[in-house]
């Protein structure tokens, strides 16, 4: 249960812990993801609560800025409820899977297109579904504690929630590197890769929120952030561009691996080792998806492409269920991928996945 927009969380029933706090004061509509023990992982009810609050505040003249953050000190959002996703697939409820992604992607697009500035504090862990909330906002704040990633290949899946749109627009071949390896970004990397706008020290976030409420001069959210932001340390991703661009420009995943193994940098060898442990299907499809996203006109088109891909995985690929089992359910970290090697992959599997058409279009 959530509180209604404009209603304080304290008025919620004492026996029901709200998973989203929604309150409005001093011109700011403040949304807080409130599942700190799960690092605020999203379920369908939370997505619907966020959407309802945005709907209510869009026409509320008393709200001019929307602020989104996460409860606890571990992160904004660790992603979506992949355990629930696995249960839906195993039980044959593809309709529920489609419902979840349709609602989530509609929220991602809503944040990107919202007529009032959305400011997101991506403090701590912000991954997967958390990127769908933070990555498309008008003002995207990271801190020295931030760790951002699209780690879907690690569960036999592919980046979604508009992640392919962001990855496709990262400098050089950084997008392919982040998408395939699921590597984590610190604040400097996130700003460099285009996933964030400014670094604000975590101990100044409260002051920033106060400034948003009091409308100190200057008055726009972007201008206010400049009063608190710091120049990040040099990005490790930027420093690694030479080997990343060389290796991840290869046409295929085997080609990328070959180039990585030929490099002298220890980080390139570690990237190759990571790829060798991941789902061959997820890697091939993700490479195709990021490159296809570069040709798309906007975020909505990228979300539509991702929608087709995630339903293709959910309905036809055993690696998604197996990856969630190994990483989240049993946590044995020993997934049995099918096929187990890149050599066994069907030729053109990336194109096959991209050509998959869902029974019902995402937009329409």
């Amino acid at each position: 249960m959530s509180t209604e927009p404009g209603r304080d969380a304290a008025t919620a029933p004492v026996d029901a812990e709200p998973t989203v706090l929604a309150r409005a004061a001093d011109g700011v509509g403040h949304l807080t993801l409130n599942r700190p023990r799960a690092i605020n992982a999203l379920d369908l009810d939370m997505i619907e609560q966020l959407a309802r609050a945005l709907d209510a505040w869009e026409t509320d003249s008393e709200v001019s800025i929307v602020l989104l953050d996460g409860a606890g000190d571990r992160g904004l959002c660790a992603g979506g409820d992949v355990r629930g996703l696995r249960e839906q697939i195993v039980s044959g409820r593809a309709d529920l899977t489609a419902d979840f992604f349709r609602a989530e992607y509609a929220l991602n697009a809503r944040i990107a297109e919202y007529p009032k500035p959305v400011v997101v504090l991506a403090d701590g862990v912000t991954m997967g579904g958390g990127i769908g909330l933070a990555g498309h906002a008008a003002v995207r704040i990271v801190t020295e504690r931030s760790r951002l990633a699209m780690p879907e290949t690690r569960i036999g899946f592919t980046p979604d929630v508009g992640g392919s749109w962001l990855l496709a627009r990262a400098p050089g071949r950084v997008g392919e590197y982040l998408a395939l390896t699921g590597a984590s970004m610190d604040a400097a990397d996130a700003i460099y890769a285009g996933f964030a706008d400014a670094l604000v020290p975590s101990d100044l976030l409260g002051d920033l929120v106060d400034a948003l409420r009091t409308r100190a001069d200057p008055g726009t959210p972007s201008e206010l952030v400049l009063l608190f932001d710091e120049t990040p340390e040099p990005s490790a991703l930027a420093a690694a561009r030479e080997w990343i661009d060389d290796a991840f420009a290869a046409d295929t995943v085997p080609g990328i691996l070959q180039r990585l193994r030929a490099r002298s940098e220890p980080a390139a060898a570690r990237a190759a080792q990571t790829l060798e442990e991941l789902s061959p299907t997820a890697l091939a499809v993700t490479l195709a998806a990021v490159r296809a996203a570069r040709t798309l006109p906007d975020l909505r088109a990228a979300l539509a492409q991702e929608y087709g891909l995630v339903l293709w995985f959910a309905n036809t690929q055993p690696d998604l269920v197996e990856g969630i089992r190994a990483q989240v359910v049993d946590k044995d970290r020993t997934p049995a991928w099918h096929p187990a090697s890149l050599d066994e992959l069907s030729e053109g599997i990336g194109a096959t996945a991209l050509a998959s058409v869902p029974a019902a279009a995402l937009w329409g």
Side-chain angles (χ1 to χ4, degrees), residues 49-94:
Q49 291 179 62
L50 293 168
R52 285 196 296 270
L54 292 178
D55 287 346
W57 289 335
E58 180 173 2
T59 57
D60 187 340
S61 61
E62 298 299 314
V63 172
S64 57
I65 297 172
V66 174
L67 175 68
L68 174 64
D69 60 11
D73 58 6
R74 297 170 67 193
L76 170 68
C77 176
D81 180 14
V82 295
R83 186 186 293 265
L85 171 61
R86 181 179 184 272
E87 292 172 356
Q88 291 170 2
I89 296 170
V90 170
S91 63
R93 294 301 308 273

Side-chain angles (χ1 to χ4, degrees), residues 212-263:
L212 291 172
R213 293 187 183 282
T214 58
R215 295 298 192 282
D217 185 34
T220 70
S222 296
E223 291 171 331
L224 286 169
V225 167
L226 293 177
L227 301 177
F228 299 94
D229 78 332
E230 292 189 356
T231 301
E233 295 294 322
S235 164
L237 282 178
R241 278 285 303 278
E242 181 180 348
W243 69 262
I244 288 176
D245 287 358
D246 171 53
F248 286 86
D251 291 338
T252 64
V253 177
I256 290 172
L257 277 167
Q258 183 178 14
R259 294 191 188 187
L260 286 172
R261 296 187 190 109
R263 300 289 308 191

Side-chain angles (χ1 to χ4, degrees), residues 179-302:
L180 269 64
T181 65
S184 179
M185 296 175 277
D186 63 12
D189 289 338
I191 293 170
Y192 176 74
F195 281 71
D197 300 307
L199 165 62
V200 174
S202 58
D203 60 359
L204 294 181
L205 291 179
D207 294 335
L208 172 59
V209 173
D210 288 342
L212 291 172
R213 293 187 183 282
T214 58
R215 295 298 192 282
D217 185 34
T220 70
S222 296
E223 291 171 331
L224 286 169
V225 167
L226 293 177
L227 301 177
F228 299 94
D229 78 332
E230 292 189 356
T231 301
E233 295 294 322
S235 164
L237 282 178
R241 278 285 303 278
E242 181 180 348
W243 69 262
I244 288 176
D245 287 358
D246 171 53
F248 286 86
D251 291 338
T252 64
V253 177
I256 290 172
L257 277 167
Q258 183 178 14
R259 294 191 188 187
L260 286 172
R261 296 187 190 109
R263 300 289 308 191
S264 61
E265 295 87 352
R270 290 193 295 270
Q273 182 177 358
T274 295
L275 295 185
E276 288 166 348
E277 297 170 354
L278 300 178
S279 159
T281 301
L283 292 175
V285 172
T286 295
L287 181 62
V290 171
R291 291 180 173 172
R294 287 201 179 103
T295 70
L296 298 176
D298 53 33
L299 173 62
R300 280 183 172 262

